[in-house]
Each structure stands twice: as structure tokens, then as C-alpha cells.
Amino acid sequence: MSKGMLDEDDQSIKMLDKLNNKVVRCNLCPRLSKYISDIKKSKTARFIEENYWARPVPSFGDPKAKLLIIGLAPAAHGGNRTGRIFTGDSSGDWLISALFETGFANKPTSISKNDGLTLSNVYLTAAVRCAPPLNKPNRDEIYNCSRYLYTETRILENTTVVIMVLGKIAFDAYCNIYSIKGLAFGHNKIYSLNGDKTLIVSYHPSRRNTNTGTLTWQMWIKIFQTAKSIIDQKARA
């Protein structure tokens, strides 16, 4: 690897770290700030002894990622508790297991910030960085967080090949920051963006979807296999 590439990698790391530090200090959404503070006080019986993170949750992953995954928001007793996105909740279990099976993660579980999980070629982020009541952020909250999502996509622009959006809110958030019109939401819908990137759309791996069979494991793992295939094909081109 050339010195220029190393310098570029270092710059991306610094820029993402700077952005994540800004995210953690964000207080633009009073409703969300109050909600996550209240959750920290009330907790849930399973985690009553734990000290909740209860701040905006930073993104996580490989700063040279070819796959960017955009979720909805941290779970109240998942990322909002552990301080790491897709960590400590059922959606995280589904995501990390799929990433492990397709070679993007070194282990199939995501339990805590100190569990040794590392991601390769994938970066995880969300449309909203604070856990919202009932998992339903409002329009202003999504808009406030869109500045962070846009900045991340720009920092990762040179390496990303596939953008995967999990759920309608993530789909709309990504389309809105780039003023993309005319695309329909639906599971396993695949769109070419500007000829050099691919957008893969998925249902969110929430319990409401996975427990009802709206999203099965076979449906879920297929989109990661597709993402891996697209990335591998481009690497060989």
C-alpha cells in the first residue's frame, strides 16, 4: 500500500472519529434527550444492575468499508444501554450473525463494547442516533440526524460499493439526503446509484418482523450474500 493510501486511510479514521465525538455530544432533539435519560433511570429488570450509556450512539466499523449499513436507531435497551450500535438487542443479533456468516465480522454475536467484535469492510450507522420512543422518531429528529448521515457517506464515498438500508425510515433518510426520487421501498429491492454504487433495500430485523415471519432468516441472509457478491465482482473488475 502506498503512503498516499495510508494517509487517506488515516484521514478517514480521524474524520469519522471527529464526527462520532460530535454525535455523542449532540443535544439537538429535546424529546429524545429526555427519553434516553428517563430510560437510564427506569431501566428494565434484565439490566437493572447495568449503567446505561444513555447518550447519542456513535457509528461503528471499518473506515475503509465497502458496505455501509444504515439502520433505524439504537434500541432503548440495546445500543442505548451498551453504547454501541446494534449491540445487546435482537436486531443486533440478527445483523452480526449475518455479517459473520458472510465474512464481514470476526464473531457472530454483539453483546458489549468490550466483547472483541471487529468488523471488516462494513460500517454500521443509523438514520437517528438516539433511541426514540416506540422506535418512532419524528420528522424533525430524522432531519437533525441527517447531517451526520450525510457527512458519513461523504467520508466513506471513495470506498463504499454497496449501501444497505434496513427499514423504511432508513430508506427514506438516505434517499432524502441525496434527493433521490422514484425508488420504491421493499425487501430485496436493488437499485444502481450513479452507475458505481448499489442500494440494497431490506426490511428491518425487528422482532415485529422476525417473529411474524415477515422477515425470515433465508430472506435476510440472501441480501448479505448479494452485497458480498457485488463487492467481490467489483474487486475483480
Side-chain angles (χ1 to χ4, degrees):
M1 184 180 292
S2 69
K3 184 178 185 298
M5 291 179 68
L6 286 170
D7 289 344
E8 188 174 305
D9 292 344
D10 290 343
Q11 186 177 15
S12 294
I13 292 169
K14 289 176 182 177
M15 292 171 72
L16 290 169
D17 285 346
K18 183 178 180 180
L19 180 63
N20 276 328
N21 288 334
K22 187 174 182 179
V23 165
V24 169
R25 297 193 304 270
C26 182
N27 60 1
L28 291 174
C29 303
R31 185 182 79 114
L32 299 188
S33 295
K34 182 180 186 304
Y35 179 69
I36 61 178
S37 177
D38 290 346
I39 289 290
K40 181 175 183 176
K41 295 171 186 173
S42 62
K43 302 185 181 180
T44 189
R46 274 179 67 201
F47 306 118
I48 196 66
E49 300 299 327
E50 295 196 24
N51 183 25
Y52 276 47
W53 170 262
R55 285 176 278 171
V57 179
S59 301
F60 169 64
D62 186 346
K64 304 184 295 297
K66 289 184 171 60
L67 171 61
L68 173 64
I69 298 178
I70 306 170
L72 165 54
H77 303 288
N80 183 57
R81 170 177 60 88
T82 62
R84 191 174 72 192
I85 192 169
F86 285 110
T87 299
D89 62 277
S90 61
S91 295
D93 291 343
W94 268 58
L95 175 59
I96 303 305
S97 183
L99 291 176
F100 174 74
E101 188 166 322
T102 48
F104 292 102
N106 69 327
K107 57 188 299 185
T109 56
S110 180
I111 300 169
S112 75
K113 288 171 69 175
N114 303 312
D115 62 5
L117 174 67
T118 58
L119 301 180
S120 175
N121 243 350
V122 61
Y123 197 79
L124 308 181
T125 188
V128 174
R129 312 308 166 96
C130 293
L134 302 176
N135 289 322
K136 293 181 179 178
N138 64 37
R139 184 177 300 177
D140 288 343
E141 291 157 355
I142 296 169
Y143 175 77
N144 285 340
C145 263
S146 67
R147 67 197 67 194
Y148 304 130
L149 181 60
Y150 178 76
T151 302
E152 280 171 339
T153 62
R154 299 306 299 166
I155 294 171
L156 296 166
E157 172 72 19
N158 290 335
T159 61
T160 48
V161 174
V162 175
I163 296 95
M164 183 184 293
V165 289
L166 309 181
K168 182 68 160 54
I169 289 175
F171 171 77
D172 288 342
Y174 183 79
C175 289
N176 286 339
I177 64 173
Y178 283 105
S179 300
I180 299 171
K181 308 292 184 183
L183 303 187
F185 175 79
H187 186 75
N188 200 34
K189 287 189 175 292
I190 301 172
Y191 300 103
S192 177
L193 302 176
N194 300 323
D196 63 345
K197 297 190 190 302
T198 301
L199 178 67
I200 297 179
V201 186
S202 172
Y203 294 150
H204 192 280
S206 64
R207 280 194 173 138
R208 182 177 63 182
N209 286 334
T210 59
N211 287 350
T212 60
T214 301
L215 180 64
T216 66
W217 180 256
Q218 290 73 25
M219 293 166 63
W220 178 241
I221 196 65
K222 180 181 178 181
I223 63 169
F224 291 89
Q225 292 167 342
T226 298
K228 184 72 159 52
S229 177
I230 292 169
I231 291 167
D232 288 348
Q233 286 174 14
K234 185 155 187 180
R236 290 194 297 266

